[in-house]
Amino acid sequence: MEKSLGFSNFLTQLDGVGISVLVLLLTLSVASWYLILTKGISNFLANRHAEAFLKRFWGAGSLQEVNSTLHEGSGDNAFAQLAHLALEAAADSEKHGLQKLAAAGGASEFITRVLRNGLDQEATRVENGLTVIASAGSAAPYIGLFGTVWGIYHALVQIGLSGQGTLDKVAGPVGEALIMTALGLAVAIPAVLAYNTFVRRNRIWLARLDAFAHDLFVLIAVGAKNNSSAGDERQLRVVAPAMNPAIAPNERRS
C-alpha cells in the first residue's frame, strides 16, 4: 500500500500538464540554487578582497603608491577598480586638460562622472541574477498550486468514473496532488530568503562603495589643489626676485 502511494506512483500518474509543471519547478529550483551558490561564493570572495585592498589603500603613503599597486594586478574587487578608474581619470585630465569633450566641464566634473559610472556598473553587476531568484520565489508557489488543482481535478474525474468516493479512494490521489504544493514551497522558500539576503548585502555594499568614491574624490581633489598651490609658490619664488627692484643684480643672479 505504501509503495502504491509513494512518490514513484505519483510520477506515473502525471499527464502532460503535470509533467510540464514538475519540469518547470525543477528548472526554477536548479536555476535559483545555482545563482544562490555562485553569488554567495562570489560575494564572500569580494568581501575578502575588498577588505584586503582597503587595508593596503589606507596604509599607503600616497596615491602614486596605490596606483603602482593597482598596476601590479591587485584590482580584483570593486573598490580597487573604482580607485583605478578615478586615478586614470585624474591622470588623463592632467595630461590632456580640457581638450577632450568628456572633460569639458572641468577635471572635478570629469572625475565625478567616472566615479558615478563605476558605481552604476557595479550596481548592475551585483543585481545580475536577482530577477531569476525573485521570479522563483514569487512564482513557484502559484505554479505548485496550479499543479495541485490540476491533480485534484484528475482525481475527482477518476473518482467519478469509478463511482466510489470512499476515503481510501480519495486520500491517495488528493495526497499525490498536494505534492505539487509542497514542491512549489520547497522551491520558493530558499529563493525568497536568498533574495532578501542578497538585496540587503547589495545595499550595504553599494553604500560602502559610494562612501569610498567620495573619499577618493576628496583625496584626488586635495592632491590636485596641493600640487597647484606648490606650483604657484614655485612660480612666485622665481618671478618675485625679477619683479622686485630693490634687489641688486648680483643678488638676482645668486
Side-chain angles (χ1 to χ4, degrees):
M1 186 67 175
E2 293 181 357
K3 289 184 178 180
S4 64
L5 297 179
F7 189 76
S8 59
N9 183 64
F10 162 72
L11 294 178
T12 60
Q13 300 297 322
L14 292 177
D15 59 353
V17 176
I19 292 176
S20 300
V21 171
L22 184 61
V23 170
L24 183 57
L25 288 175
L26 291 176
T27 302
L28 287 176
S29 178
V30 171
S32 61
W33 274 109
Y34 170 79
L35 291 172
I36 289 170
L37 294 177
T38 55
K39 289 184 72 67
I41 296 173
S42 176
N43 291 343
F44 175 75
L45 295 177
N47 287 332
R48 286 187 58 184
H49 293 162
E51 293 296 334
F53 170 76
L54 290 175
K55 185 177 181 180
R56 293 194 303 269
F57 179 86
W58 294 114
S62 63
L63 290 176
Q64 287 75 14
E65 182 178 346
V66 174
N67 195 19
S68 63
T69 303
L70 291 173
H71 284 295
E72 292 175 359
S74 61
D76 52 358
N77 61 90
F79 289 85
Q81 293 171 4
L82 196 64
H84 177 72
L85 289 174
L87 293 175
E88 287 293 326
D92 187 69
S93 177
E94 182 179 356
K95 181 179 179 181
H96 299 284
L98 302 180
Q99 297 178 3
K100 288 187 175 182
L101 183 61
S108 297
E109 291 295 331
F110 178 49
I111 296 173
T112 301
R113 287 198 302 271
V114 169
L115 290 173
R116 181 55 54 191
N117 290 335
L119 290 174
D120 292 339
Q121 292 175 5
E122 179 64 14
T124 302
R125 188 192 67 81
V126 297
E127 291 177 0
N128 185 31
L130 291 183
T131 302
V132 176
I133 298 177
S135 299
S138 60
Y142 297 102
I143 296 174
L145 182 60
F146 174 78
T148 299
V149 173
W150 189 259
I152 292 176
Y153 163 73
H154 279 283
L156 294 176
V157 170
Q158 293 296 328
I159 293 172
L161 292 176
S162 63
Q164 297 178 353
T166 58
L167 183 61
D168 59 336
K169 298 295 183 181
V170 175
V174 173
E176 293 168 359
L178 290 175
I179 292 178
M180 285 293 189
T181 300
L183 292 176
L185 293 176
V187 174
I189 291 174
V192 171
L193 294 177
Y195 177 80
N196 293 333
T197 301
F198 288 140
V199 168
R200 180 180 180 276
R201 182 264 175 190
N202 292 344
R203 184 172 63 251
I204 296 175
W205 177 261
L206 293 176
R208 290 181 60 194
L209 200 61
D210 186 75
F212 180 70
H214 180 268
D215 293 338
L216 268 176
F217 179 80
V218 171
L219 289 173
I220 294 174
V222 170
K225 183 177 180 181
N226 290 339
N227 292 336
S228 177
S229 300
D232 293 342
E233 184 178 356
R234 287 193 299 269
Q235 183 178 4
L236 288 175
R237 289 179 180 177
V238 174
V239 174
M243 295 180 60
N244 192 347
I247 300 178
N250 292 332
E251 294 179 353
R252 295 177 186 173
R253 287 193 297 269
S254 61

